[in-house]
Amino acid sequence: MSANKESNLVQAYIELNKFCQSSDYERALKAAGKILQIAPTEQKAFHCKIVCYIQLHNFKEALVHLNNSKHAALAADLQFEKAYAQYRLNLPKDALQTVDSAPELTPALKELRAQILYRLEQYQDCYNLYRDIVKNTTDDYEDERKANMSAVVANLGAINPNADLPQFE
Amino acid sequence: LPPPMEAVPCKPLFFDLACNFIEFPNLDDKTGVANKKQGAGITG
């Protein structure tokens, strides 16, 4: 890469970083696009672009880019983003397949997997997964996760009123 | 004539917590920040 191109790239990333940090997704999207025009193999710029589309609720566009065979190498590590876009587009089966194709079940993929199982009405698997997540997670969303677990239990109870259900305080 | 009222279970609340994991990657290595920081480290 020529020195000039490299310095342009650093400048473009500094600009992109600024918009990322201020959560200006429209401008970040343009900045990421500019980088990919100079250097089409920039994985981090591609990653930012996908995050922007998702934050702007343009899940369709995110998925189109992730599925484009031209971008296969850039999209390879973005299974979570792909599965999330599929989940939001109401394609829970595809989303589950994407999650399970990932080389490792990261905490992010685990959280998403539980939500997909809920959407697929696989409540018993979903409940087991949430138990595992709750046991191994400390974050600011413990109340919300508990609410999700109660929703799973409510559905389990609706299916089988005689089931031995866990009690919530 | 409306049908008689009937109690139905309400739809439980369910939160999207996975959305919190949609984050930008760290760009420090691309903006040159990582290189500058190296010199200022404890061992630098």
Side-chain angles (χ1 to χ4, degrees):
Chain A
M1 201 187 295
S2 74
N4 193 14
K5 191 177 165 190
E6 197 155 347
S7 112
N8 281 346
L9 204 59
V10 170
Q11 278 310 314
Y13 263 113
I14 287 170
E15 188 166 276
L16 171 61
N17 195 38
K18 195 177 74 193
F19 296 135
C20 290
Q21 284 181 354
S22 59
S23 303
D24 189 340
Y25 303 116
E26 296 276 6
R27 287 201 174 93
L29 187 61
K30 279 190 192 133
K34 213 166 102 184
I35 294 172
L36 290 165
Q37 250 174 12
I38 313 172
T41 57
E42 280 298 311
Q43 203 275 336
K44 285 205 169 175
F46 184 78
H47 187 166
C48 289
K49 190 164 137 174
I50 298 299
V51 169
C52 287
Y53 279 130
I54 292 176
Q55 294 291 0
L56 292 165
H57 285 203
N58 194 344
F59 306 110
K60 220 172 172 175
E61 202 64 32
L63 196 56
V64 165
H65 282 86
L66 288 166
N67 280 335
N68 187 333
S69 56
K70 275 194 287 185
H71 303 147
L74 294 171
D77 289 333
L78 302 178
Q79 284 104 344
F80 173 70
E81 285 74 9
K82 182 175 174 182
Y84 185 76
Q86 288 167 324
Y87 168 78
R88 293 295 298 262
L89 288 167
N90 210 9
L91 301 165
K93 278 186 190 159
D94 295 357
L96 188 62
Q97 216 170 20
T98 304
V99 168
D100 290 339
S101 75
E104 186 197 356
L105 196 61
T106 60
L109 284 166
K110 238 183 203 183
E111 189 89 57
L112 181 55
R113 195 171 196 278
Q115 289 175 209
I116 295 166
L117 290 175
Y118 185 82
R119 200 58 80 73
L120 289 169
E121 303 184 7
Q122 296 183 23
Y123 299 120
Q124 190 60 56
D125 290 345
C126 182
Y127 177 70
N128 296 342
L129 185 53
Y130 265 127
R131 288 244 318 222
D132 176 46
I133 296 172
V134 165
K135 215 175 5 176
N136 297 304
T137 313
T138 320
D139 63 13
D140 295 337
Y141 303 103
E142 285 169 22
D143 289 342
E144 283 84 352
R145 204 169 288 111
K146 229 178 189 176
N148 285 3
M149 258 183 118
S150 335
V152 180
V153 172
N155 279 289
L156 275 173
I159 294 168
N160 184 1
N162 301 319
D164 186 18
L165 296 172
Q167 301 295 310
F168 286 87
E169 67 270 31
Chain B
L1 193 77
M5 291 289 212
E6 196 183 333
V8 292
C10 73
K11 202 174 161 220
L13 276 179
F14 192 84
F15 296 97
D16 180 3
L17 298 179
C19 71
N20 298 312
F21 289 98
I22 298 286
E23 287 171 334
F24 288 113
N26 187 312
L27 298 177
D28 284 354
D29 60 326
K30 295 289 181 187
T31 55
V33 174
N35 296 336
K36 278 177 209 155
K37 267 188 187 157
Q38 266 172 13
I42 298 168
T43 53

